[in-house]
């Protein structure tokens, strides 16, 4: 039987993408992490966040 080399990298070996945004005199650096086991797509997540914001705004005002 042929031996197969595992070439997958672990999360610690990968560098996470970083978004940099300057607002006024403050520079924000936001690291991005994507779960390997998540069942939710980015579109699903954004839609869920928008719905939660609308729901919370309705409760507050």
């Amino acid at each position: 039987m042929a031996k197969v080399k595992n070439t997958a990298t672990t999360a610690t070996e990968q560098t996470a993408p970083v978004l940099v945004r300057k607002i006024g005199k403050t520079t924000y650096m936001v690291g991005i992490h994507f779960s390997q086991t998540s069942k939710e797509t980015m579109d699903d997540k954004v839609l869920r966040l928008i719905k939660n914001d609308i729901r919370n705004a309705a409760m507050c005002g």
Side-chain angles (χ1 to χ4, degrees):
M1 179 167 20
K3 199 172 191 181
V4 178
K5 183 178 178 183
N6 185 358
T7 59
T9 58
T10 63
T12 57
E13 294 174 352
Q14 298 174 350
T15 56
V18 176
L19 295 175
V20 179
R21 178 74 180 237
K22 187 170 184 178
I23 301 174
K25 294 181 179 181
T26 305
T27 301
Y28 297 91
M29 295 177 67
V30 179
I32 302 168
H33 168 76
F34 296 99
S35 172
Q36 297 295 322
T37 59
S38 178
K39 304 288 187 235
E40 187 176 43
T41 67
M42 188 65 181
D43 289 341
D44 295 336
K45 184 177 289 272
V46 170
L47 185 58
R48 178 176 52 81
L49 291 171
I50 291 170
K51 286 179 180 179
N52 287 346
D53 283 348
I54 293 169
R55 189 177 304 118
N56 289 338
M59 288 182 189
C60 294

